[in-house]
Amino acid sequence: MNRKDYIVGFIPKYAVIPLISAFVFNTLIYSGTMILCKDLYHYDFTTAFDRMVPVIPEFTSIYLICYVFWAFNYILIGRIGKEHMYRFLVGDFLSRIVCGIIFVLLPTTLVRPEITGSGFWDQALRLVYSIDQSANLFPSIHCLVSWFCYIGIRKRKEIPLWYRRFSMIFALLVCVSTQVTKQHYIIDVFGGILLGEVCWLIGQKTEWYEGLWKVFQRVNQFFGLEKKEKEERTGRLSEIKG
């Protein structure tokens, strides 16, 4: 691919709409089901372990920084190649559909602790509590998406080993942050990771990605982000002759 096939020299044009669609779909599932279920009974799955876990407001930093981690790793996964990206997105979309079904059939909530400190991270955690409703907890989308960010590059030798290891560690830190900020139960963590692994495997073992590829290829061609096959072949021949 040439530099002209990238946006800001880093994001492949073919990946822009599919990755934005993944973000939009995630938002629709999370926010849409929350609105849909606001008047339903919400279950509390707090365990003795959850009650034992201390509140560590400083981990709010990990809980919030992970949004940057998500964006960067999804773009990184898009850069690896079209087939890899679409296989990844099959698992990604499928996981959100499963989340949506669970959020509707099994609405969850928990009682958050009162944050009495006056430090910066105490205030940051209170802000998170004020803007993020305690619902749609199982499985944890924070853990799910963070784990996808890791498994999407886990065995890819194109990505430096140090960054693959960092992604695993950071994904696990995000899981820890959901516990010590009291945003999730422990079962939400395991639910998110397990769902991520199962949906990732489905994306890798099926040919479902082909249908997704065709849909987004047409959309990309409509917006001029991807050339048609004939144009691509002509471009490649021109480069060879040149």
Side-chain angles (χ1 to χ4, degrees):
M1 290 175 66
N2 298 320
R3 285 188 64 83
K4 64 182 181 181
D5 295 320
Y6 292 85
I7 293 175
V8 298
F10 184 68
I11 309 170
K13 287 183 178 178
Y14 67 75
V16 173
I17 292 177
L19 294 181
I20 289 175
S21 298
F23 168 75
V24 171
F25 189 61
N26 178 80
T27 304
L28 285 174
I29 291 293
Y30 185 75
S31 301
T33 54
M34 197 172 286
I35 293 169
L36 189 65
C37 301
K38 66 178 181 179
D39 295 324
L40 298 181
Y41 178 79
H42 285 58
Y43 298 89
D44 188 329
F45 294 140
T46 301
T47 65
F49 174 84
D50 295 304
R51 285 188 283 271
M52 286 169 53
V53 173
V55 179
I56 308 177
E58 288 76 13
F59 266 82
T60 307
S61 58
I62 301 292
Y63 192 81
L64 296 175
I65 289 170
C66 73
Y67 290 100
V68 177
F69 173 64
W70 296 351
F72 183 79
N73 275 42
Y74 270 54
I75 291 170
L76 207 57
I77 289 162
R79 284 172 57 88
I80 290 172
K82 291 180 183 178
E83 181 176 333
H84 181 72
M85 180 186 73
Y86 286 119
R87 284 188 180 278
F88 172 83
L89 287 177
V90 165
D92 191 71
F93 285 128
L94 182 60
S95 71
R96 298 317 188 281
I97 292 170
V98 173
C99 282
I101 292 170
I102 295 174
F103 292 161
V104 171
L105 296 181
L106 193 66
T108 47
T109 190
L110 58 72
V111 179
R112 290 162 166 168
E114 183 182 356
I115 307 300
T116 56
S118 58
F120 176 81
W121 292 115
D122 297 282
Q123 295 180 50
L125 185 53
R126 277 197 293 270
L127 178 63
V128 169
Y129 285 177
S130 69
I131 61 180
D132 187 18
Q133 186 182 332
S134 181
N136 286 357
L137 305 182
F138 177 80
S140 165
I141 284 186
H142 254 72
C143 298
L144 170 66
V145 179
S146 297
W147 200 247
F148 261 123
C149 284
Y150 165 56
I151 59 179
I153 63 172
R154 181 166 53 192
K155 295 181 179 179
R156 304 303 304 198
K157 293 186 178 177
E158 308 97 314
I159 309 299
L161 180 60
W162 72 266
Y163 189 75
R164 283 182 272 156
R165 287 177 175 170
F166 165 79
S167 292
M168 178 186 70
I169 293 168
F170 193 82
L172 291 173
L173 283 174
V174 172
C175 293
V176 172
S177 78
T178 65
Q179 301 302 290
V180 296
T181 58
K182 297 297 182 177
Q183 284 288 81
H184 286 276
Y185 323 107
I186 187 63
I187 192 176
D188 303 339
V189 174
F190 292 113
I193 291 175
L194 179 61
L195 179 59
E197 289 287 353
V198 170
C199 291
W200 163 259
L201 194 60
I202 292 172
Q204 300 306 300
K205 299 297 183 181
T206 67
E207 303 307 311
W208 295 356
Y209 79 96
E210 292 178 350
L212 200 61
W213 187 337
K214 287 176 183 175
V215 170
F216 279 114
Q217 187 176 52
R218 291 194 187 99
V219 174
N220 280 339
Q221 288 171 354
F222 177 79
F223 286 103
L225 295 173
E226 201 170 338
K227 294 175 183 176
K228 294 182 180 175
E229 278 187 37
K230 239 184 226 183
E231 293 173 338
E232 283 186 353
R233 283 199 299 269
T234 303
R236 284 196 296 269
L237 285 171
S238 299
E239 286 176 15
I240 293 168
K241 287 176 184 177

